Amino acid sequence: MRTVEEHQRVVAALITRRAPVSVPIADALGMVLADDVIAPSSLPGFDNSAMDGYAVLADDVAAATPEHPVRLPVAEDIPAGRTDVLTLKPGTAHRIMTGAMLPAGATAVVPVEATNAATDTVEICASAKDGQHIRCAGEDVTAGTPVLRAGQVVTPAALGLVAALGLVELSVIPRQRVLVMSTGTELIAPGTPLAPGQIYESNAVMLAAALRDAGADVVAATMSGDDVDSFRDALARHTADTDLIITTGGVSAGAYEVVKDALGGTVDFVKVAMQPGMPQGSGTVDDIPIITLPGNPVSALVSFEVFIRSPLRTAMGLPTPDRPRHTAVLTEDLTSPRGKRQFRRGVLDADAGTVTSYGPPASHHLRWLASANCLLEIAEDVDALSAGAQVQVWDLT
């Protein structure tokens, strides 16, 4: 059988990075910058007021106190957005709003709270220092300087910055576009009445969510019966603009293994020394990488975590592609099949540094995986662990 590490390397080699693309900034959230962002202009672009108040010459109000206010005629009213360039004459004041362009000649802004708020002749009740409450042009960003670096994840704050700089597009590493297909004639869509022997399809829904959570785009999440021609037709309908195909089911050793039957010449089907998730496959279909996972839901999601999530995030340039790994103290005795690496559902108490297995190890017990917050990783050469032993866990939170 192939080892877990060997299959991880095979899958990682299939998932490759796409060429950078330019996208509207509204679509860039969560993506990774392919290039540095150079400021095309300065921020602020002009000297402006940091307060609602009055633009003045600081020397004109140097003697102002509450007991002896300085009175100045209000020569102009400057709301934010006024575009004509004004000049402040000595011995006058301009009423000015936050963000409004400072008139030439003004050296300070007196907050409205330190005045009588008049619009004809204002009483200034406090002195001001040169530069007080003035945002100078370029004090945040100087035109021509890098403001974001290649490799950064685009955050809401980053989008606010690039929008403030007037940019409309960003060069990013595009998301991987993934097709998910579940197979099995027994599968029907949720919401449809079940006939005897039928089950609701869950793998495509589950894996599509896992892919989006990892940062990828899902081209389609669909299902196919166990007919080879129908399976091939379904693949063909959805592979345009697809970077990766993931299938579940149809890869074991029994009859009606549709994925094996349809792709036996192009996909390498192997057994991996792990539990759950032993039957695996990888290869290409029409030059599109394909990874075939087992059909049992726990096997499918554990296989995604072990083999796909990390290289997928790496191909999108995302930071920390691997799940956090911890060593925790086991709270119970466990057994594991020697010769296979076991991934068991668990509940990690990070504060106490302990972990407890959660539910049976069988691959159809989806309920327990839905409430677990970690996977316990038990090595191939271990067949038993006692309470108090140190065990490796994958943090799924």
Side-chain angles (χ1 to χ4, degrees):
M1 281 192 283
R2 183 178 283 178
T3 67
V4 169
E5 287 81 7
E6 287 170 341
H7 197 61
Q8 284 174 327
R9 288 192 290 270
V10 169
V11 170
L14 285 173
I15 303 175
T16 57
R17 181 172 297 191
R18 295 172 57 196
V21 296
S22 291
V23 300
I25 62 172
D27 298 332
L29 182 66
M31 302 176 82
V32 174
L33 291 172
D35 300 307
D36 293 349
V37 175
I38 308 301
S41 57
S42 294
L43 288 179
F46 49 85
D47 293 348
N48 68 86
S49 177
M51 301 284 287
D52 292 339
Y54 295 83
V56 298
L57 275 71
D59 289 346
D60 285 346
V61 298
T65 66
E67 295 78 19
H68 299 94
V70 172
R71 293 176 175 84
L72 297 174
V74 179
E76 293 285 351
D77 195 41
I78 313 176
R82 184 169 173 175
T83 58
D84 52 328
V85 179
L86 302 172
T87 299
L88 177 73
K89 295 180 180 179
T92 68
H94 290 183
R95 192 171 73 140
I96 192 167
M97 301 298 112
T98 303
M101 185 164 56
L102 200 71
T107 61
V109 173
V110 177
V112 67
E113 294 83 359
T115 74
N116 67 348
T119 58
D120 48 4
T121 299
V122 64
E123 292 185 356
I124 308 290
C125 301
S127 62
K129 296 179 180 179
D130 283 342
Q132 177 176 291
H133 301 310
I134 293 175
R135 300 167 178 161
C136 295
E139 73 174 41
D140 186 15
V141 173
T142 302
T145 60
V147 291
L148 297 170
R149 293 293 188 182
Q152 283 188 241
V153 177
V154 179
T155 62
L159 289 175
L161 173 60
V162 298
L165 290 168
L167 299 173
V168 296
E169 290 186 331
L170 287 172
S171 175
V172 296
I173 300 168
R175 293 184 175 93
Q176 293 281 304
R177 301 163 299 191
V178 187
L179 167 65
V180 183
M181 181 174 292
S182 290
T183 64
T185 301
E186 74 277 17
L187 303 176
I188 66 167
T192 306
L194 287 171
Q198 291 183 325
I199 61 174
Y200 288 123
E201 197 290 316
S202 60
N203 282 353
V205 173
M206 177 176 65
L207 289 174
L211 286 160
R212 294 187 182 101
D213 181 65
D217 281 337
V218 178
V219 174
T222 186
M223 58 185 175
S224 167
D226 289 327
D227 177 76
V228 169
D229 291 336
S230 296
F231 172 74
R232 287 174 174 161
D233 289 344
L235 272 183
R237 285 196 303 273
H238 295 290
T239 52
D241 297 322
T242 295
D243 303 307
L244 175 67
I245 302 166
I246 298 175
T247 67
T248 67
V251 295
S252 296
Y256 307 107
E257 302 296 345
V258 65
V259 178
K260 264 189 171 181
D261 294 341
L263 304 177
T266 58
V267 171
D268 185 18
F269 294 98
V270 298
K271 293 181 179 180
V272 177
M274 65 184 289
Q275 184 193 59
M278 183 174 67
Q280 301 282 340
S282 59
T284 60
V285 174
D286 296 329
D287 296 323
I288 301 171
I290 184 169
I291 300 164
T292 66
L293 305 180
N296 277 318
V298 176
S299 297
L301 191 58
V302 168
S303 297
F304 175 84
E305 290 288 340
V306 174
F307 300 118
I308 300 174
R309 188 179 190 275
S310 179
L312 190 72
R313 287 179 61 83
T314 297
M316 294 183 287
L318 292 167
T320 58
D322 295 331
R323 291 287 194 185
R325 311 286 173 85
H326 308 291
T327 300
V329 176
L330 191 62
T331 63
E332 62 191 323
D333 297 340
L334 287 180
T335 60
S336 182
R338 183 174 288 273
K340 292 183 180 180
R341 188 172 309 181
Q342 190 177 54
F343 294 91
R344 295 190 68 145
R345 287 134 281 184
V347 176
L348 173 67
D349 185 334
D351 293 332
T354 60
V355 66
T356 304
S357 71
Y358 193 58
S363 59
H364 65 286
H365 290 292
L366 185 57
R367 167 198 166 187
W368 305 98
L369 182 59
S371 300
N373 65 2
C374 71
L375 294 175
L376 287 73
E377 181 179 0
I378 303 174
E380 295 88 338
D381 59 351
V382 175
D383 57 14
L385 287 169
S386 300
Q390 300 278 329
V391 64
Q392 175 101 351
V393 298
W394 296 34
D395 191 338
L396 301 180
T397 58

